[in-house]
Short mmCIF file of all heavy atoms in Angstrom, two decimals:
data_model
loop_
_atom_site.label_atom_id
_atom_site.label_comp_id
_atom_site.label_asym_id
_atom_site.label_seq_id
_atom_site.Cartn_x
_atom_site.Cartn_y
_atom_site.Cartn_z
N MET F 1 88.95 81.75 103.86
CA MET F 1 87.63 81.88 103.25
C MET F 1 87.46 83.28 102.66
O MET F 1 88.05 84.23 103.15
CB MET F 1 86.53 81.63 104.28
CG MET F 1 86.61 80.25 104.93
SD MET F 1 86.25 78.90 103.78
CE MET F 1 84.46 78.85 103.92
N ALA F 2 86.66 83.38 101.64
CA ALA F 2 86.44 84.68 101.01
C ALA F 2 84.95 84.83 100.71
O ALA F 2 84.24 83.84 100.54
CB ALA F 2 87.24 84.80 99.73
N THR F 3 84.51 86.05 100.68
CA THR F 3 83.11 86.32 100.37
C THR F 3 82.99 86.67 98.89
O THR F 3 83.71 87.52 98.39
CB THR F 3 82.60 87.49 101.20
OG1 THR F 3 82.76 87.17 102.58
CG2 THR F 3 81.13 87.76 100.91
N TYR F 4 82.08 86.00 98.23
CA TYR F 4 81.84 86.26 96.81
C TYR F 4 80.42 86.78 96.63
O TYR F 4 79.49 86.32 97.29
CB TYR F 4 82.01 84.98 95.99
CG TYR F 4 83.43 84.44 96.04
CD1 TYR F 4 83.80 83.52 97.00
CD2 TYR F 4 84.37 84.89 95.14
CE1 TYR F 4 85.09 83.03 97.06
CE2 TYR F 4 85.67 84.40 95.18
CZ TYR F 4 86.03 83.48 96.14
OH TYR F 4 87.30 83.00 96.20
N ALA F 5 80.29 87.72 95.72
CA ALA F 5 78.98 88.32 95.48
C ALA F 5 78.35 87.70 94.23
O ALA F 5 79.00 87.52 93.21
CB ALA F 5 79.12 89.82 95.31
N TYR F 6 77.07 87.42 94.36
CA TYR F 6 76.29 86.90 93.23
C TYR F 6 75.04 87.76 93.11
O TYR F 6 74.70 88.51 94.02
CB TYR F 6 75.89 85.44 93.46
CG TYR F 6 77.07 84.49 93.36
CD1 TYR F 6 77.92 84.32 94.43
CD2 TYR F 6 77.32 83.81 92.19
CE1 TYR F 6 79.01 83.47 94.34
CE2 TYR F 6 78.40 82.95 92.08
CZ TYR F 6 79.25 82.78 93.16
OH TYR F 6 80.31 81.95 93.07
N ARG F 7 74.38 87.64 91.96
CA ARG F 7 73.17 88.43 91.79
C ARG F 7 72.07 87.56 91.19
O ARG F 7 72.14 87.15 90.03
CB ARG F 7 73.44 89.63 90.87
CG ARG F 7 72.22 90.54 90.72
CD ARG F 7 72.55 91.78 89.93
NE ARG F 7 73.47 92.65 90.64
CZ ARG F 7 73.07 93.55 91.55
NH1 ARG F 7 71.81 93.69 91.84
NH2 ARG F 7 73.95 94.31 92.15
N CYS F 8 71.06 87.29 92.00
CA CYS F 8 69.90 86.54 91.52
C CYS F 8 69.08 87.44 90.60
O CYS F 8 68.86 88.61 90.91
CB CYS F 8 69.04 86.09 92.70
SG CYS F 8 67.47 85.38 92.20
N PRO F 9 68.63 86.91 89.45
CA PRO F 9 67.83 87.73 88.53
C PRO F 9 66.51 88.20 89.15
O PRO F 9 65.94 89.20 88.72
CB PRO F 9 67.59 86.82 87.33
CG PRO F 9 67.91 85.45 87.80
CD PRO F 9 68.88 85.57 88.92
N ASP F 10 66.02 87.48 90.15
CA ASP F 10 64.75 87.84 90.78
C ASP F 10 64.93 88.56 92.12
O ASP F 10 64.22 89.51 92.42
CB ASP F 10 63.88 86.60 90.99
CG ASP F 10 63.45 85.99 89.66
OD1 ASP F 10 63.26 86.76 88.71
OD2 ASP F 10 63.32 84.76 89.59
N CYS F 11 65.86 88.07 92.95
CA CYS F 11 65.97 88.56 94.32
C CYS F 11 67.06 89.63 94.49
O CYS F 11 67.10 90.32 95.49
CB CYS F 11 66.25 87.42 95.28
SG CYS F 11 65.08 86.06 95.14
N GLY F 12 67.96 89.75 93.53
CA GLY F 12 69.03 90.72 93.65
C GLY F 12 70.29 90.11 94.23
O GLY F 12 70.45 88.90 94.26
N ALA F 13 71.16 90.99 94.71
CA ALA F 13 72.49 90.56 95.13
C ALA F 13 72.47 89.79 96.44
O ALA F 13 71.65 90.05 97.31
CB ALA F 13 73.39 91.78 95.25
N PHE F 14 73.39 88.83 96.54
CA PHE F 14 73.61 88.14 97.81
C PHE F 14 75.06 87.69 97.84
O PHE F 14 75.73 87.66 96.81
CB PHE F 14 72.65 86.96 97.98
CG PHE F 14 72.81 85.88 96.94
CD1 PHE F 14 73.66 84.80 97.15
CD2 PHE F 14 72.10 85.95 95.75
CE1 PHE F 14 73.80 83.81 96.19
CE2 PHE F 14 72.24 84.96 94.78
CZ PHE F 14 73.10 83.89 95.00
N ASP F 15 75.54 87.39 99.02
CA ASP F 15 76.93 86.96 99.19
C ASP F 15 76.97 85.50 99.58
O ASP F 15 76.04 84.98 100.20
CB ASP F 15 77.61 87.76 100.30
CG ASP F 15 77.83 89.19 99.89
OD1 ASP F 15 77.84 89.49 98.68
OD2 ASP F 15 78.00 90.02 100.80
N THR F 16 78.04 84.83 99.21
CA THR F 16 78.26 83.47 99.67
C THR F 16 79.72 83.35 100.06
O THR F 16 80.58 83.95 99.44
CB THR F 16 77.87 82.45 98.59
OG1 THR F 16 77.98 81.14 99.13
CG2 THR F 16 78.74 82.56 97.37
N ILE F 17 79.98 82.59 101.11
CA ILE F 17 81.34 82.43 101.60
C ILE F 17 81.87 81.07 101.17
O ILE F 17 81.24 80.04 101.41
CB ILE F 17 81.37 82.56 103.14
CG1 ILE F 17 80.93 83.97 103.53
CG2 ILE F 17 82.77 82.27 103.68
CD1 ILE F 17 80.79 84.16 105.03
N ARG F 18 83.00 81.10 100.50
CA ARG F 18 83.60 79.87 99.99
C ARG F 18 85.11 79.94 100.16
O ARG F 18 85.65 81.03 100.31
CB ARG F 18 83.27 79.69 98.50
CG ARG F 18 81.82 79.37 98.26
CD ARG F 18 81.50 79.22 96.80
NE ARG F 18 80.08 78.87 96.63
CZ ARG F 18 79.63 77.62 96.57
NH1 ARG F 18 80.45 76.61 96.64
NH2 ARG F 18 78.35 77.38 96.45
N PRO F 19 85.77 78.80 100.10
CA PRO F 19 87.24 78.83 100.15
C PRO F 19 87.80 79.63 98.97
O PRO F 19 87.18 79.67 97.89
CB PRO F 19 87.63 77.35 100.04
CG PRO F 19 86.43 76.60 100.50
CD PRO F 19 85.25 77.44 100.06
N MET F 20 88.93 80.24 99.18
CA MET F 20 89.56 81.02 98.11
C MET F 20 89.71 80.19 96.84
O MET F 20 90.13 79.05 96.88
CB MET F 20 90.96 81.47 98.56
CG MET F 20 90.95 82.66 99.49
SD MET F 20 90.44 84.18 98.67
CE MET F 20 91.80 84.40 97.52
N GLY F 21 89.34 80.79 95.70
CA GLY F 21 89.53 80.13 94.43
C GLY F 21 88.52 79.06 94.11
O GLY F 21 88.64 78.37 93.11
N GLU F 22 87.48 78.92 94.94
CA GLU F 22 86.49 77.87 94.68
C GLU F 22 85.09 78.45 94.47
O GLU F 22 84.09 77.82 94.79
CB GLU F 22 86.46 76.87 95.84
CG GLU F 22 87.77 76.09 95.94
CD GLU F 22 87.69 74.97 96.95
OE1 GLU F 22 86.58 74.57 97.31
OE2 GLU F 22 88.75 74.51 97.39
N ALA F 23 85.02 79.65 93.95
CA ALA F 23 83.72 80.24 93.65
C ALA F 23 83.31 79.85 92.24
O ALA F 23 83.99 80.18 91.27
CB ALA F 23 83.80 81.76 93.77
N PRO F 24 82.20 79.13 92.09
CA PRO F 24 81.74 78.75 90.76
C PRO F 24 81.16 79.94 90.02
O PRO F 24 80.88 80.99 90.60
CB PRO F 24 80.67 77.70 91.04
CG PRO F 24 80.15 78.06 92.39
CD PRO F 24 81.32 78.63 93.14
N GLU F 25 80.97 79.76 88.71
CA GLU F 25 80.40 80.84 87.90
C GLU F 25 78.98 81.17 88.35
O GLU F 25 78.55 82.31 88.31
CB GLU F 25 80.35 80.40 86.42
CG GLU F 25 81.71 80.20 85.81
CD GLU F 25 82.07 81.33 84.88
OE1 GLU F 25 81.14 81.92 84.31
OE2 GLU F 25 83.26 81.63 84.74
N ARG F 26 78.26 80.13 88.81
CA ARG F 26 76.88 80.35 89.26
C ARG F 26 76.64 79.54 90.53
O ARG F 26 77.19 78.45 90.68
CB ARG F 26 75.87 79.87 88.19
CG ARG F 26 75.86 80.73 86.96
CD ARG F 26 75.03 80.10 85.86
NE ARG F 26 75.02 80.93 84.66
CZ ARG F 26 74.14 81.90 84.46
NH1 ARG F 26 73.18 82.12 85.34
NH2 ARG F 26 74.19 82.64 83.37
N VAL F 27 75.82 80.08 91.38
CA VAL F 27 75.36 79.33 92.56
C VAL F 27 73.85 79.49 92.65
O VAL F 27 73.27 80.39 92.04
CB VAL F 27 76.01 79.83 93.87
CG1 VAL F 27 77.53 79.68 93.81
CG2 VAL F 27 75.63 81.26 94.16
N GLU F 28 73.22 78.62 93.45
CA GLU F 28 71.78 78.75 93.63
C GLU F 28 71.47 79.91 94.55
O GLU F 28 72.12 80.10 95.58
CB GLU F 28 71.22 77.46 94.23
CG GLU F 28 71.15 76.32 93.24
CD GLU F 28 70.41 75.13 93.83
OE1 GLU F 28 70.04 75.18 95.02
OE2 GLU F 28 70.18 74.16 93.09
N CYS F 29 70.44 80.67 94.22
CA CYS F 29 69.98 81.74 95.09
C CYS F 29 69.49 81.13 96.41
O CYS F 29 68.78 80.13 96.40
CB CYS F 29 68.84 82.49 94.41
SG CYS F 29 68.02 83.67 95.49
N PRO F 30 69.90 81.71 97.56
CA PRO F 30 69.46 81.15 98.86
C PRO F 30 67.97 81.29 99.09
O PRO F 30 67.40 80.61 99.95
CB PRO F 30 70.27 81.97 99.87
CG PRO F 30 70.63 83.23 99.16
CD PRO F 30 70.77 82.86 97.71
N ARG F 31 67.31 82.18 98.34
CA ARG F 31 65.87 82.38 98.55
C ARG F 31 65.01 81.58 97.58
O ARG F 31 64.04 80.95 97.97
CB ARG F 31 65.54 83.87 98.44
CG ARG F 31 65.80 84.62 99.73
CD ARG F 31 65.71 86.12 99.54
NE ARG F 31 67.01 86.65 99.15
CZ ARG F 31 67.28 87.93 99.00
NH1 ARG F 31 66.35 88.83 99.17
NH2 ARG F 31 68.48 88.33 98.66
N CYS F 32 65.36 81.61 96.29
CA CYS F 32 64.48 80.96 95.30
C CYS F 32 65.18 79.86 94.52
O CYS F 32 64.58 79.25 93.66
CB CYS F 32 63.91 82.01 94.35
SG CYS F 32 65.14 82.72 93.24
N ALA F 33 66.48 79.63 94.80
CA ALA F 33 67.24 78.55 94.18
C ALA F 33 67.48 78.75 92.69
O ALA F 33 67.87 77.83 91.99
CB ALA F 33 66.58 77.20 94.45
N ALA F 34 67.27 79.95 92.19
CA ALA F 34 67.56 80.21 90.78
C ALA F 34 69.07 80.30 90.59
O ALA F 34 69.78 80.80 91.45
CB ALA F 34 66.91 81.52 90.36
N PRO F 35 69.58 79.79 89.46
CA PRO F 35 71.01 79.94 89.17
C PRO F 35 71.36 81.42 89.06
O PRO F 35 70.72 82.16 88.32
CB PRO F 35 71.18 79.24 87.82
CG PRO F 35 69.96 78.40 87.65
CD PRO F 35 68.86 79.09 88.40
N SER F 36 72.38 81.84 89.83
CA SER F 36 72.72 83.25 89.87
C SER F 36 74.19 83.43 89.52
O SER F 36 75.05 82.77 90.09
CB SER F 36 72.45 83.80 91.28
OG SER F 36 71.12 83.54 91.66
N PRO F 37 74.49 84.32 88.58
CA PRO F 37 75.88 84.52 88.16
C PRO F 37 76.67 85.37 89.14
O PRO F 37 76.10 86.13 89.93
CB PRO F 37 75.72 85.24 86.81
CG PRO F 37 74.44 85.99 86.95
CD PRO F 37 73.56 85.13 87.80
N ARG F 38 77.97 85.26 89.06
CA ARG F 38 78.86 86.10 89.86
C ARG F 38 78.59 87.55 89.54
O ARG F 38 78.39 87.94 88.40
CB ARG F 38 80.33 85.80 89.52
CG ARG F 38 80.87 84.53 90.10
CD ARG F 38 81.26 84.68 91.56
NE ARG F 38 82.35 85.62 91.76
CZ ARG F 38 83.63 85.34 91.63
NH1 ARG F 38 84.01 84.15 91.27
NH2 ARG F 38 84.55 86.26 91.87
N ALA F 39 78.59 88.37 90.60
CA ALA F 39 78.37 89.80 90.40
C ALA F 39 79.69 90.55 90.30
O ALA F 39 79.78 91.56 89.63
CB ALA F 39 77.53 90.36 91.54
N TRP F 40 80.71 90.06 90.98
CA TRP F 40 82.00 90.73 90.94
C TRP F 40 83.03 89.75 90.44
O TRP F 40 82.88 88.55 90.61
CB TRP F 40 82.42 91.22 92.32
CG TRP F 40 81.59 92.32 92.84
CD1 TRP F 40 80.43 92.80 92.33
CD2 TRP F 40 81.86 93.10 94.01
NE1 TRP F 40 79.98 93.83 93.11
CE2 TRP F 40 80.84 94.03 94.14
CE3 TRP F 40 82.91 93.08 94.94
CZ2 TRP F 40 80.80 94.94 95.18
CZ3 TRP F 40 82.87 93.99 95.98
CH2 TRP F 40 81.82 94.92 96.09
N THR F 41 84.11 90.28 89.88
CA THR F 41 85.17 89.40 89.42
C THR F 41 86.20 89.15 90.51
O THR F 41 86.84 88.14 90.54
CB THR F 41 85.87 90.01 88.20
OG1 THR F 41 86.31 91.32 88.52
CG2 THR F 41 84.92 90.07 87.02
N ALA F 42 86.35 90.08 91.43
CA ALA F 42 87.37 89.93 92.47
C ALA F 42 86.73 89.52 93.79
O ALA F 42 85.69 90.06 94.15
CB ALA F 42 88.12 91.24 92.65
N PRO F 43 87.33 88.58 94.51
CA PRO F 43 86.78 88.19 95.81
C PRO F 43 87.03 89.27 96.85
O PRO F 43 88.02 89.99 96.79
CB PRO F 43 87.56 86.93 96.16
CG PRO F 43 88.86 87.08 95.43
CD PRO F 43 88.53 87.82 94.16
N ARG F 44 86.10 89.39 97.77
CA ARG F 44 86.28 90.31 98.89
C ARG F 44 86.75 89.51 100.09
O ARG F 44 86.04 88.63 100.56
CB ARG F 44 84.96 91.02 99.20
CG ARG F 44 84.61 92.06 98.13
CD ARG F 44 83.28 92.71 98.41
NE ARG F 44 82.20 91.76 98.23
CZ ARG F 44 80.99 91.89 98.77
NH1 ARG F 44 80.72 92.92 99.50
NH2 ARG F 44 80.06 91.00 98.55
N LEU F 45 87.90 89.82 100.58
CA LEU F 45 88.46 89.04 101.67
C LEU F 45 87.86 89.47 103.00
O LEU F 45 87.51 90.63 103.19
CB LEU F 45 89.98 89.20 101.69
CG LEU F 45 90.65 88.81 100.38
CD1 LEU F 45 92.16 89.00 100.49
CD2 LEU F 45 90.35 87.37 100.02
N ALA F 46 87.78 88.51 103.90
CA ALA F 46 87.13 88.77 105.19
C ALA F 46 87.84 89.87 105.97
O ALA F 46 87.21 90.64 106.68
CB ALA F 46 87.09 87.49 106.01
N GLY F 47 89.15 89.96 105.84
CA GLY F 47 89.89 90.94 106.64
C GLY F 47 90.12 92.25 105.92
O GLY F 47 91.04 92.99 106.26
N MET F 48 89.29 92.53 104.93
CA MET F 48 89.52 93.73 104.12
C MET F 48 89.44 95.00 104.95
O MET F 48 88.65 95.12 105.87
CB MET F 48 88.48 93.78 103.00
CG MET F 48 88.62 94.99 102.11
SD MET F 48 87.37 95.00 100.80
CE MET F 48 88.05 93.78 99.69
N ASN F 49 90.29 95.94 104.59
CA ASN F 49 90.28 97.28 105.18
C ASN F 49 88.86 97.87 105.14
O ASN F 49 88.24 97.90 104.07
CB ASN F 49 91.24 98.15 104.34
CG ASN F 49 91.32 99.57 104.82
OD1 ASN F 49 90.33 100.14 105.25
ND2 ASN F 49 92.49 100.14 104.76
N PRO F 50 88.31 98.30 106.28
CA PRO F 50 86.93 98.80 106.30
C PRO F 50 86.70 99.96 105.34
O PRO F 50 85.64 100.08 104.74
CB PRO F 50 86.74 99.25 107.76
CG PRO F 50 87.75 98.46 108.52
CD PRO F 50 88.92 98.26 107.60
N ALA F 51 87.69 100.84 105.19
CA ALA F 51 87.52 101.97 104.28
C ALA F 51 87.39 101.49 102.85
O ALA F 51 86.56 101.98 102.09
CB ALA F 51 88.70 102.93 104.40
N LEU F 52 88.20 100.50 102.51
CA LEU F 52 88.13 99.95 101.15
C LEU F 52 86.80 99.23 100.95
O LEU F 52 86.17 99.33 99.91
CB LEU F 52 89.30 99.00 100.92
CG LEU F 52 89.35 98.31 99.55
CD1 LEU F 52 89.34 99.36 98.43
CD2 LEU F 52 90.58 97.44 99.44
N ARG F 53 86.37 98.51 101.99
CA ARG F 53 85.10 97.80 101.89
C ARG F 53 83.94 98.77 101.63
O ARG F 53 83.09 98.53 100.77
CB ARG F 53 84.83 97.02 103.18
CG ARG F 53 83.57 96.18 103.13
CD ARG F 53 83.28 95.61 104.50
NE ARG F 53 84.21 94.57 104.90
CZ ARG F 53 84.07 93.28 104.57
NH1 ARG F 53 83.05 92.91 103.85
NH2 ARG F 53 84.94 92.38 104.97
N SER F 54 83.94 99.89 102.36
CA SER F 54 82.85 100.85 102.16
C SER F 54 82.96 101.51 100.80
O SER F 54 81.96 101.83 100.16
CB SER F 54 82.85 101.89 103.27
OG SER F 54 83.98 102.72 103.19
N ALA F 55 84.19 101.71 100.33
CA ALA F 55 84.36 102.30 99.00
C ALA F 55 83.80 101.37 97.94
O ALA F 55 83.15 101.80 96.99
CB ALA F 55 85.84 102.59 98.73
N LEU F 56 84.04 100.07 98.09
CA LEU F 56 83.52 99.10 97.14
C LEU F 56 81.99 99.05 97.21
O LEU F 56 81.33 98.90 96.20
CB LEU F 56 84.11 97.72 97.41
CG LEU F 56 85.58 97.57 97.03
CD1 LEU F 56 86.11 96.23 97.52
CD2 LEU F 56 85.78 97.70 95.54
N ALA F 57 81.44 99.18 98.39
CA ALA F 57 80.00 99.18 98.55
C ALA F 57 79.40 100.40 97.83
O ALA F 57 78.37 100.30 97.19
CB ALA F 57 79.62 99.20 100.02
N ARG F 58 80.07 101.55 97.98
CA ARG F 58 79.60 102.74 97.27
C ARG F 58 79.69 102.54 95.77
O ARG F 58 78.81 102.93 95.02
CB ARG F 58 80.45 103.95 97.66
CG ARG F 58 79.99 104.64 98.92
CD ARG F 58 81.01 105.66 99.37
NE ARG F 58 81.44 106.55 98.29
CZ ARG F 58 80.91 107.75 98.08
NH1 ARG F 58 79.98 108.20 98.86
NH2 ARG F 58 81.32 108.49 97.08
N GLU F 59 80.77 101.91 95.33
CA GLU F 59 80.95 101.67 93.90
C GLU F 59 79.83 100.77 93.39
O GLU F 59 79.26 101.00 92.34
CB GLU F 59 82.32 101.03 93.65
CG GLU F 59 82.73 100.97 92.19
CD GLU F 59 82.20 99.77 91.45
OE1 GLU F 59 81.90 98.74 92.08
OE2 GLU F 59 82.07 99.86 90.23
N GLU F 60 79.49 99.75 94.18
CA GLU F 60 78.42 98.84 93.76
C GLU F 60 77.09 99.58 93.70
O GLU F 60 76.34 99.45 92.74
CB GLU F 60 78.30 97.68 94.75
CG GLU F 60 77.19 96.72 94.35
CD GLU F 60 77.05 95.60 95.36
OE1 GLU F 60 77.08 95.90 96.57
OE2 GLU F 60 76.88 94.46 94.96
N ALA F 61 76.80 100.40 94.71
CA ALA F 61 75.54 101.13 94.74
C ALA F 61 75.44 102.10 93.58
O ALA F 61 74.37 102.35 93.05
CB ALA F 61 75.41 101.88 96.06
N SER F 62 76.59 102.66 93.18
CA SER F 62 76.56 103.68 92.12
C SER F 62 76.13 103.09 90.79
O SER F 62 75.74 103.82 89.89
CB SER F 62 77.93 104.34 92.00
OG SER F 62 78.87 103.45 91.44
N ARG F 63 76.19 101.76 90.65
CA ARG F 63 75.75 101.16 89.39
C ARG F 63 74.24 101.36 89.20
O ARG F 63 73.78 101.62 88.11
CB ARG F 63 76.04 99.67 89.39
CG ARG F 63 77.53 99.37 89.39
CD ARG F 63 77.74 97.88 89.48
NE ARG F 63 79.15 97.58 89.68
CZ ARG F 63 79.60 96.37 90.01
NH1 ARG F 63 78.75 95.39 90.15
NH2 ARG F 63 80.88 96.17 90.18
N ASP F 64 73.50 101.20 90.29
CA ASP F 64 72.05 101.30 90.19
C ASP F 64 71.53 102.67 90.58
O ASP F 64 70.51 103.11 90.10
CB ASP F 64 71.39 100.25 91.08
CG ASP F 64 71.71 98.84 90.60
OD1 ASP F 64 71.84 98.66 89.37
OD2 ASP F 64 71.84 97.95 91.43
N ALA F 65 72.24 103.35 91.50
CA ALA F 65 71.79 104.65 91.98
C ALA F 65 72.99 105.61 92.03
O ALA F 65 73.51 105.90 93.09
CB ALA F 65 71.16 104.53 93.36
N PRO F 66 73.43 106.05 90.88
CA PRO F 66 74.62 106.90 90.86
C PRO F 66 74.39 108.21 91.59
O PRO F 66 73.32 108.81 91.51
CB PRO F 66 74.88 107.14 89.37
CG PRO F 66 73.59 106.83 88.70
CD PRO F 66 72.89 105.81 89.55
N GLU F 67 75.42 108.61 92.32
CA GLU F 67 75.34 109.90 92.99
C GLU F 67 75.51 110.99 91.93
O GLU F 67 76.13 110.80 90.91
CB GLU F 67 76.44 110.02 94.04
CG GLU F 67 76.25 109.04 95.18
CD GLU F 67 77.38 109.16 96.19
OE1 GLU F 67 78.09 110.16 96.17
OE2 GLU F 67 77.53 108.22 96.99
N VAL F 68 74.94 112.13 92.22
CA VAL F 68 75.02 113.24 91.27
C VAL F 68 76.46 113.74 91.20
O VAL F 68 77.08 114.04 92.21
CB VAL F 68 74.09 114.38 91.70
CG1 VAL F 68 74.28 115.59 90.78
CG2 VAL F 68 72.65 113.91 91.68
N VAL F 69 76.96 113.81 89.98
CA VAL F 69 78.31 114.34 89.77
C VAL F 69 78.18 115.80 89.41
O VAL F 69 77.54 116.17 88.44
CB VAL F 69 79.02 113.56 88.65
CG1 VAL F 69 80.40 114.18 88.39
CG2 VAL F 69 79.14 112.10 89.01
N THR F 70 78.79 116.63 90.24
CA THR F 70 78.66 118.07 89.99
C THR F 70 79.71 118.58 89.02
O THR F 70 79.55 119.60 88.38
CB THR F 70 78.80 118.85 91.32
OG1 THR F 70 80.04 118.49 91.93
CG2 THR F 70 77.65 118.53 92.25
N ARG F 71 80.81 117.83 88.88
CA ARG F 71 81.84 118.27 87.97
C ARG F 71 82.58 117.05 87.42
O ARG F 71 83.02 116.22 88.19
CB ARG F 71 82.81 119.19 88.70
CG ARG F 71 83.92 119.72 87.81
CD ARG F 71 84.81 120.66 88.58
NE ARG F 71 85.96 121.04 87.77
CZ ARG F 71 86.95 121.81 88.21
NH1 ARG F 71 86.90 122.26 89.45
NH2 ARG F 71 87.97 122.11 87.45
N ALA F 72 82.66 116.96 86.11
CA ALA F 72 83.35 115.84 85.51
C ALA F 72 84.85 115.99 85.72
O ALA F 72 85.38 117.09 85.69
CB ALA F 72 83.05 115.77 84.02
N SER F 73 85.53 114.86 85.93
CA SER F 73 86.96 114.93 86.11
C SER F 73 87.65 114.43 84.84
O SER F 73 87.26 113.43 84.27
CB SER F 73 87.38 114.07 87.30
OG SER F 73 86.97 112.74 87.09
N GLY F 74 88.65 115.14 84.40
CA GLY F 74 89.44 114.68 83.26
C GLY F 74 88.94 115.19 81.93
O GLY F 74 89.71 115.78 81.17
N THR F 75 87.67 114.98 81.65
CA THR F 75 87.18 115.39 80.33
C THR F 75 86.28 116.61 80.46
O THR F 75 85.66 116.86 81.48
CB THR F 75 86.35 114.25 79.70
OG1 THR F 75 85.27 113.94 80.57
CG2 THR F 75 87.21 113.02 79.49
N THR F 76 86.24 117.37 79.41
CA THR F 76 85.38 118.54 79.37
C THR F 76 84.39 118.40 78.23
O THR F 76 84.78 118.14 77.10
CB THR F 76 86.22 119.83 79.14
OG1 THR F 76 87.20 119.90 80.16
CG2 THR F 76 85.33 121.06 79.18
N ARG F 77 83.13 118.50 78.57
CA ARG F 77 82.11 118.40 77.53
C ARG F 77 81.83 119.78 76.94
O ARG F 77 81.58 120.72 77.65
CB ARG F 77 80.84 117.81 78.14
CG ARG F 77 79.75 117.55 77.10
CD ARG F 77 78.54 116.96 77.74
NE ARG F 77 78.86 115.69 78.45
CZ ARG F 77 77.99 115.05 79.22
NH1 ARG F 77 76.80 115.53 79.40
NH2 ARG F 77 78.33 113.94 79.81
N ARG F 78 81.92 119.87 75.62
CA ARG F 78 81.69 121.16 74.97
C ARG F 78 80.57 121.03 73.96
O ARG F 78 80.48 120.04 73.30
CB ARG F 78 82.95 121.62 74.23
CG ARG F 78 84.09 121.92 75.16
CD ARG F 78 85.35 122.26 74.40
NE ARG F 78 86.50 122.31 75.29
CZ ARG F 78 86.89 123.41 75.91
NH1 ARG F 78 86.26 124.53 75.73
NH2 ARG F 78 87.91 123.40 76.72
ZN1 ZN K 1 66.41 84.44 94.01
#
């Protein structure tokens, strides 16, 4: 089984557990039953490394609430 993330347009993100490879493009929101699209392209496996799991959670949070970057890496703005 794998956990897949979806995002309801009204209620926000939620997870659903389905067999590997059987996650539809949309599922009903568990709260309001609205069709909700997949939020991630890759499934999160139940036995995932905790460090990687937390890193992915940080990555997800950074979409809506990015942490302040004190120094850009790679590129220099002039
Ligand atoms: Zn909803």
Side-chain angles (χ1 to χ4, degrees):
M1 301 293 274
T3 302
Y4 297 91
Y6 289 81
R7 183 175 293 275
C8 171
D10 294 327
C11 307
F14 63 91
D15 290 339
T16 186
I17 297 174
R18 290 179 179 268
M20 282 290 294
E22 294 188 19
E25 295 255 331
R26 291 170 180 272
V27 299
E28 286 188 355
C29 171
R31 277 170 271 185
C32 70
S36 305
R38 284 280 296 277
W40 292 10
T41 54
R44 287 178 291 159
L45 303 180
M48 179 180 284
N49 180 323
L52 178 56
R53 183 188 289 275
S54 67
L56 288 172
R58 275 170 50 96
E59 191 275 336
E60 180 183 44
S62 71
R63 293 176 189 169
D64 295 326
E67 294 178 17
V68 174
V69 177
T70 56
R71 181 178 173 183
S73 58
T75 58
T76 304
R77 185 179 302 172
R78 295 175 190 270

